[in-house]
Amino acid sequence: MHMSDALVSPLVGAAFWAVSGTALYGSGKGAAREAASGSVPLTGVLGAFIFTVQMINFAIPGTGSSGHLGGGLLLAILLGPQAAFLTLASVLLVQALFFADGGLLALGCNLFNMGFIPAFITFPLIYRPLAARARTAGILLAAVAALGLGAGAVALETRLSGISALPFRTFLAALVPIHLVIGLVEGVATVALVRFLASARPELAEGGPRGGWKAPALVAVLALVTGGGLTWVASRNPDGLEWAILRVAGREPAPAGDPLHRASARAAEAAPLPDYAPKGQAGRAATSRAGLLGGAATLALVALAALGLRALRKTP
Amino acid sequence: MSALASLIPFGTLDELAAADSPVHRLDPRAKLLATALFIVAVASFGRYEVAALAPFALYPAALMALGGIPAGFILSRMLAALPFVLLLAALNPVLDRAPLLTLGPVAISGGWVSFASILMRFALTVGAALVLVATTSMDGVCLGLERLGAPRAFAQQVAFLHRYAFVLGAEALRIHRARTLRAFGGKLTPGEFATLAGNLLLRAWDRARRIHVAMLTRGFTGRFPEPRPLAWGTRDLLFTVLCAAAFAALRVWNLPRILGGLLAGGAP
């Protein structure tokens, strides 16, 4: 459920960056204190482990489909929530940079959906109270809840960004049930791994520093409320940048008198979508032709420039 | 399992990053900042903008040309990441049927325009991120992130992950191949998965301990040494400022519309 830059608006991206960035900063502080005890190479290699294991798909009996581990809950059980969040953040960053899974602007959203929720919400609130008495149930419930909440967050972020035409409820209804099933798969895989560890190396399965999750969770929830509120208000305004320019300039920039500016102003007036509200004006076909022609011409110029630069690079 | 085998071309991005070119020589911080500004600028367009996004292709295209990055390589990487975006975007033409613009006799609905817009944004942002890694190297990106204020523990975490992902990937591939040969094509069940992944985890854990002890005996103090110290020069400043100015200009002025207006002899 990686969000992509193409589907996230800058405001939503920034709001979730604020939340995840705060949590990352807090987790980094916590991890720095433990760095002396050698946890950084350990979490580094564990990050590589999660990265690798995410690529091993296993069959789900009776369904014919397959699933894989997300790893958030497992890491929280093994390392504690802060180190788990830091490790997941590194996995997501490498996925964004190397595999184009998600993007840099959407990284804040992805960190929240796949890292923050399991590490700072379902792990302390669901797994930990249940861990002593009903560990298996705790893992399964925490995993299912994390995936369900994550899917809900994806729908919310998509809705707030307003790039996709999907209605919120339809998207939510499509996204959440399937992720509850995926959450069950994640839970089963985590239970299987924790059991394996408990039999092979009992000391590892019980490990993990406790505590220290409350402060980042509180800050992040506050950030989420303000950030979420901000985007909710601002997303009514289709274009933040134009709004800001209008505010700064105090008025719409007046067109200059030369032919180039006049031509562009005329083209802009008859634009197919003045302020995103199409009107049945005359000349609509002509302007959309001009827009398409201009776009194609621009791309051709870009390609020519790239080829020229390449030739330039090879000659010396 | 094909996903695991795809860890192998993982290496080629690093090989490209080891080359030398004016783009490679730029400070990682300059490229990180420019990429971030680029992505925000591209993402800030309205959902029905397509043509206005076209000139932004100049940034990744120019870096690829100057940095000697083959376009086919970047394109193949993009295609691998396409399905999820395509899935979300493909519903737009179905859901949003209000006609937005006409091309001769054909009316094009808003859904198709936003569909095209999403694909355009996808190509631009993904291209920019891939070009960043292909011309900077992961160690460079980590160093740049740390110097830009990211927590040091995070930057080191990313560097460690990148270092050992190949090692563990190769190990996982070996274990999995052994299992496949003995299982006669049987699919991996959750129980087998736990044994396989658990063994990998134990190996990773032991290896991490050995690595840490080895690093401490060699005098590791919690900081990676810098092979080539970062130096922020005039070129880096110029690059960042020029990129920022160009993105701002392209955001405010719709270049294709101006060009199209000129080519079509001015709109009626």
Side-chain angles (χ1 to χ4, degrees):
Chain A
M1 57 180 171
H2 289 75
M3 297 282 290
S4 160
D5 278 349
L7 297 165
V8 174
S9 75
L11 265 169
V12 172
F16 279 89
W17 254 110
V19 180
S20 301
T22 312
L24 189 62
Y25 184 77
S27 302
K29 287 260 153 153
R33 261 184 268 118
E34 288 161 18
S37 66
S39 72
V40 169
L42 177 62
T43 55
V45 178
L46 276 183
F49 166 74
I50 290 295
F51 193 88
T52 310
V53 162
Q54 282 190 356
M55 298 184 176
I56 309 176
N57 287 306
F58 54 82
I60 303 167
T63 61
S65 67
S66 66
H68 71 82
L69 197 72
L73 187 60
L74 178 73
L75 283 176
I77 293 171
L78 294 177
L79 298 168
Q82 291 193 341
F85 185 72
L86 202 69
T87 309
L88 272 172
S90 69
V91 172
L92 288 171
L93 179 66
V94 172
Q95 282 175 342
L97 288 177
F98 276 82
F99 294 97
D101 239 353
L104 292 179
L105 181 65
L107 189 60
C109 297
N110 286 324
L111 260 176
F112 183 82
N113 305 343
M114 290 183 271
F116 190 88
I117 290 177
F120 292 122
I121 297 180
T122 67
F123 173 77
L125 296 182
I126 299 178
Y127 170 79
R128 210 179 262 162
L130 286 171
R133 259 178 288 162
R135 188 168 185 144
T136 303
I139 291 175
L140 288 177
L141 273 177
V144 170
L147 269 286
L149 284 173
V154 169
L156 187 70
E157 287 149 13
T158 310
R159 164 74 190 82
L160 287 172
S161 294
I163 313 269
S164 165
L166 280 168
F168 178 62
R169 284 193 185 173
T170 318
F171 195 29
L172 200 66
L175 209 56
V176 171
I178 180 75
H179 278 93
L180 292 179
V181 178
I182 296 174
L184 199 62
V185 174
E186 160 116 37
V188 170
T190 309
V191 167
L193 260 177
V194 169
R195 281 201 180 150
F196 174 84
L197 277 185
S199 62
R201 299 270 183 95
E203 78 279 8
L204 294 189
E206 286 304 324
R210 304 276 134 145
W213 59 272
K214 276 183 187 149
L218 187 68
V219 173
V221 167
L222 281 176
L224 179 68
V225 170
T226 47
L230 185 77
T231 49
W232 199 270
V233 173
S235 63
R236 289 176 199 285
N237 207 317
D239 194 321
L241 188 75
E242 273 167 17
W243 175 82
I245 290 171
L246 205 64
R247 271 290 170 93
V248 172
R251 66 193 161 81
E252 299 255 13
D258 60 292
L260 182 69
H261 277 89
R262 256 182 297 152
S264 105
R266 239 177 328 173
E269 268 165 33
L273 302 161
D275 293 326
Y276 310 105
K279 297 194 178 77
Q281 294 164 338
R284 210 168 63 179
T287 39
S288 52
R289 257 205 312 279
L292 232 88
L293 196 62
T298 312
L299 281 178
L301 283 177
V302 168
L304 268 177
L307 286 175
L309 283 171
R310 209 167 172 159
L312 202 72
R313 190 175 164 267
K314 279 186 185 145
T315 34
Chain B
M1 213 50 203
S2 55
L4 194 60
S6 76
L7 262 178
I8 309 307
F10 197 119
T12 50
L13 264 177
D14 284 316
E15 281 159 26
L16 288 171
D20 188 43
S21 80
V23 187
H24 286 78
R25 265 172 261 143
L26 282 170
D27 192 295
R29 284 169 289 185
K31 282 178 274 186
L32 273 167
L33 284 173
T35 309
L37 289 173
F38 175 83
I39 288 172
V40 171
V42 166
S44 72
F45 278 95
R47 64 195 274 190
Y48 295 128
E49 294 280 0
V50 181
L53 287 166
F56 280 91
L58 187 60
Y59 172 73
L63 289 196
M64 274 157 67
L66 286 172
I69 311 296
F73 174 75
I74 300 285
L75 282 177
S76 68
R77 282 310 173 87
M78 272 185 201
L79 286 180
L82 193 58
F84 180 70
V85 175
L86 208 56
L87 203 72
L88 271 184
L91 284 168
N92 278 16
V94 181
L95 294 167
D96 182 359
R97 287 167 180 277
L100 259 193
L101 42 96
T102 48
L103 280 178
V106 188
I108 297 175
S109 75
W112 280 113
V113 177
S114 57
F115 176 78
S117 175
I118 288 173
L119 291 194
M120 191 91 181
R121 286 156 204 271
F122 169 79
L124 288 173
T125 52
V126 165
L130 287 172
V131 169
L132 169 72
V133 183
T135 59
T136 311
S137 86
M138 205 55 203
D139 285 340
V141 169
C142 291
L143 203 56
L145 277 177
E146 191 185 328
R147 292 302 183 77
L148 283 173
R152 188 191 294 167
F154 177 62
Q156 290 193 358
Q157 165 72 31
V158 176
F160 271 114
L161 164 62
H162 175 245
R163 259 182 221 194
Y164 296 114
F166 303 100
V167 181
L168 286 184
E171 204 141 319
L173 208 55
R174 206 153 47 228
I175 300 176
H176 190 265
R177 195 179 296 129
R179 197 207 75 91
T180 316
L181 285 174
R182 288 161 181 79
F184 302 104
K187 288 231 168 161
L188 200 63
T189 64
E192 290 168 349
F193 170 83
T195 318
L196 192 154
N199 270 309
L200 191 63
L201 176 61
L202 292 182
R203 288 188 203 188
W205 204 293
D206 290 339
R207 175 163 282 167
R209 261 197 204 140
R210 283 205 309 278
I211 290 165
H212 187 58
V213 171
M215 285 171 78
L216 288 180
T217 52
R218 285 167 178 79
F220 181 67
T221 54
R223 283 203 82 121
F224 285 132
E226 294 171 23
R228 185 170 55 178
L230 292 192
W232 179 271
T234 325
R235 275 146 60 94
D236 304 307
L237 184 68
L238 206 65
F239 173 79
T240 315
V241 170
L242 276 179
C243 282
F247 300 155
L250 290 178
R251 182 65 189 80
V252 176
W253 289 295
N254 187 334
L255 193 65
R257 190 177 286 160
I258 299 172
L259 201 65
L262 285 177
L263 282 175

